[in-house]
């Protein structure tokens, strides 16, 4: 099986949700650079202090910092058999850096319409404790403001506020979207349509599993 897999797609498309499911299915670690930064912010580490404003306002953390963090993470033992890399690379420079220290077997690109993406981003809510994601309308928790899975508090990410959503989508279009042709040229991309509602996620998952079986 192809085991070193990049997860590509616009913010809000559902990369986190699908990658969590795929991680269980494939038995591969889910490496999310966004989650790693949020963890640094929560723990108020040196890196967290440096990245706080950028992450909260939807900008990109400097390439050297992110690439160093990813290189270090992929060198850990649980990554020996492969990984699902979600949120990195975010631009051509990061993609080239990644190539300099590892090979990539495949790129899964999640695709949805812009209005679906904006709705997912603006309605997203996250558990402070375990990171589980909800949506105010489509996937509400059973009791308002409380995580079904761990009882933690549910909040809205600062960068999911309307003014920062705009910035993130602009950055995606300008800096991250060029990665599509970068990986198409290398014949690595599989497109996954994720316009369908949350209830259909297991059908999408089956579709991906079918594509990856060999
Ligand atoms: P995400 O959860 O993937 O949307 O990431 C949240 C935030 O973390 C982004 O808006 C950036 O500020 C930062 N971040 C995550 N991955 C990267 C990356 N590869 N390059 C630069 N900044 C990143």
């Amino acid at each position: 099986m192809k085991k070193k897999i990049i997860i590509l797609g616009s913010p809000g498309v559902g990369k986190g949700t699908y990658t969590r499911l795929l991680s269980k299915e494939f038995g591969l670690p889910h490496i999310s650079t966004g989650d790693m930064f949020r963890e640094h912010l929560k723990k108020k580490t040196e890196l967290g202090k440096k990245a706080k404003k950028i992450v909260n306002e939807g900008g990109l953390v400097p390439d050297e910092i992110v690439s160093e963090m990813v290189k270090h993470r992929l060198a850990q033992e649980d990554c020996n058999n492969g990984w699902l890399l979600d949120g990195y690379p975010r631009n051509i420079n990061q993609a080239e850096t990644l190539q300099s220290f590892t090979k990539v077997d495949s790129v899964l690109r999640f695709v949805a319409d812009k209005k679906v993406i904006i709705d997912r981003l603006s309605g997203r809510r996250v558990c402070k404790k375990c990171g589980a994601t909800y949506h105010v309308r489509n996937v509400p928790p059973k009791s308002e403001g409380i995580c079904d899975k761990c009882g933690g508090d549910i909040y809205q990410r600062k960068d999911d506020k309307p003014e920062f959503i705009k910035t993130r989508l602009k950055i995606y279009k300008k800096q991250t979207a060029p990665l599509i042709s970068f990986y198409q040229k290398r014949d690595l991309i599989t497109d996954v349509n994720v316009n369908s509602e949350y209830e259909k996620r297991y059908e999408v998952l089956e579709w991906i599993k079918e594509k990856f079986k060999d």
Side-chain angles (χ1 to χ4, degrees):
M1 198 187 98
K2 292 170 178 151
K3 289 188 164 168
K4 295 185 170 180
I5 305 167
I6 290 175
I7 308 293
L8 193 63
S10 164
V13 77
K15 296 190 297 294
T17 303
Y18 282 104
T19 312
R20 269 188 284 278
L21 295 171
L22 283 170
S23 167
K24 280 192 199 134
E25 281 293 335
F26 292 171
L28 296 172
H30 174 188
I31 316 291
S32 156
T33 47
D35 284 351
M36 288 165 90
F37 282 124
R38 281 184 288 278
E39 203 50 36
H40 278 287
L41 259 59
K42 201 157 96 182
K43 291 187 177 149
K44 298 191 169 75
T45 64
E46 277 312 305
L47 178 54
K49 284 178 205 158
K50 262 192 227 163
K52 185 173 176 186
K53 191 168 155 53
I54 302 175
V55 172
N56 280 338
E57 296 184 358
L60 288 189
V61 176
D63 291 346
E64 316 77 65
I65 296 180
V66 194
S67 295
E68 199 46 49
M69 184 176 83
V70 172
K71 188 174 178 184
H72 184 256
R73 180 65 188 88
L74 297 187
Q76 286 172 19
E77 215 181 322
D78 63 328
C79 292
N80 284 349
N81 276 331
W83 31 256
L84 296 158
L85 192 49
D86 159 15
Y88 182 95
R90 272 303 219 269
N91 58 33
I92 298 283
N93 184 36
Q94 292 181 12
E96 283 169 347
T97 306
L98 180 67
Q99 272 192 325
S100 75
F101 63 80
T102 184
K103 92 181 209 306
V104 171
D105 293 321
S106 189
V107 178
L108 266 182
R109 178 171 81 113
F110 288 89
V111 189
D113 297 340
K114 194 168 175 190
K115 69 175 191 326
V116 173
I117 286 171
I118 292 176
D119 180 60
R120 282 183 188 159
L121 278 172
S122 51
R124 174 162 65 187
R125 299 292 182 271
V126 185
C127 173
K128 253 186 197 154
K129 208 164 142 195
C130 73
T133 52
Y134 296 87
H135 186 280
V136 282
R137 223 182 33 257
N138 308 333
V139 196
K142 290 193 186 90
S143 328
E144 204 186 319
I146 298 169
C147 178
D148 296 347
K149 293 183 181 128
C150 75
D153 289 336
I154 291 173
Y155 78 115
Q156 181 177 35
R157 275 168 52 173
K158 282 210 177 75
D159 60 341
D160 280 346
K161 309 255 183 213
E163 63 271 35
F164 302 131
I165 288 180
K166 251 194 193 164
T167 315
R168 290 161 71 205
L169 294 179
K170 255 194 212 154
I171 292 178
Y172 175 78
K173 197 168 167 193
K174 197 157 173 226
Q175 301 210 36
T176 312
L179 292 177
I180 301 165
S181 61
F182 181 92
Y183 288 118
Q184 266 164 352
K185 272 184 213 143
R186 289 158 178 82
D187 205 16
L188 290 175
I189 291 211
T190 303
D191 278 350
V192 190
N193 182 320
V194 284
N195 272 310
S196 54
E197 51 279 15
Y198 187 68
E199 289 71 32
K200 300 248 171 84
R201 65 197 182 283
Y202 288 105
E203 287 171 34
V204 176
L205 198 67
E206 284 307 313
W207 185 91
I208 299 172
K209 272 165 65 186
E210 193 55 37
K211 285 268 170 195
F212 274 74
K213 76 166 198 249
D214 57 43

